[in-house]
Amino acid sequence: EGDAELHDVVVRLLREQNKTLATLEIGAGSQVADWLLSADPGGATSSGNLSVANISTTKKWIEGQEDLELESDESLVACVESLARQQQSDLALLIARYPSPEEILESQKAFPLCFALTDGSQSKVFRRYIGGHPDVLLPRIGKTGLEHLRRMLLGLRDDSLT
């Protein structure tokens, strides 16, 4: 979509569809919240962006998530749907778990990531292994989450990202 950054495209789609978004980023990242707020400084498309260090903190902030487990798609769906309800948002995006800087430096492997989205009528979980140089890994994770969200906003299937 031209020279626009992915977060600009997502904010434009949210505005065009008159929708709001809540985000939850677990781990050492918080890329998406920063990008979305830079694209929409007034926060018209945001109903809340939460960045937490770990699952334990998530359980304290998101209602009814005492049993949250990243290994369970059902648990992730329940969490992202609870986030949308709690923030009174049309859509919600959960990204778990950004690796810490120490983990990135100590490992040459790809990291397992979970992306959960809901738009009120459907909820989806995507699992990806993402790796890369420490300078690009965290942005790559955030952009993967935004791409899943962009595709949901456009009503596209996510088969090409698997």
Side-chain angles (χ1 to χ4, degrees):
E1 300 195 28
D3 294 330
E5 293 284 343
L6 185 54
H7 55 275
D8 295 316
V9 172
V10 167
V11 166
R12 181 179 53 77
L13 290 169
L14 288 166
R15 283 186 180 139
E16 287 173 359
Q17 296 178 25
N18 197 30
K19 294 190 176 185
T20 56
L21 171 68
T23 64
L24 170 60
E25 296 174 90
I26 302 171
S30 186
Q31 300 284 311
V32 172
D34 291 344
W35 291 332
L36 293 175
L37 290 174
S38 73
D40 184 14
T45 60
S46 173
S47 59
N49 299 299
L50 182 60
S51 177
V52 297
N54 53 47
I55 296 296
S56 300
T57 307
T58 303
K59 293 175 182 181
K60 294 177 188 174
W61 281 94
I62 306 297
E63 296 170 3
Q65 296 307 303
E66 297 78 21
D67 299 323
L68 176 62
E69 297 294 333
L70 294 182
E71 296 77 25
S72 164
D73 285 3
E74 294 79 18
S75 182
L76 291 167
V77 165
C79 186
V80 78
E81 289 176 352
S82 182
L83 173 67
R85 279 191 307 277
Q86 189 172 317
Q87 297 299 317
Q88 300 176 347
S89 184
D90 300 305
L91 295 109
L93 167 65
L94 177 153
I95 300 175
R97 176 186 79 74
Y98 286 95
S100 71
E102 295 80 20
E103 289 174 303
I104 295 169
L105 291 175
E106 291 174 5
S107 177
Q108 299 296 318
K109 64 177 181 163
F111 293 90
L113 277 294
C114 305
F115 302 88
L117 296 107
T118 189
D119 68 1
S121 65
Q122 64 177 332
S123 299
K124 297 180 178 185
V125 173
F126 303 96
R127 295 181 181 278
R128 305 280 181 266
Y129 281 88
I130 300 176
H133 187 276
D135 291 343
V136 299
L137 180 60
L138 298 181
R140 183 174 288 161
I141 293 167
K143 287 182 186 221
T144 301
L146 285 177
E147 178 59 12
H148 285 298
L149 178 60
R150 182 190 73 85
R151 294 179 66 79
M152 181 176 264
L153 285 164
L154 291 172
L156 301 173
R157 293 181 50 165
D158 245 321
D159 297 345
S160 66
L161 292 177
T162 54

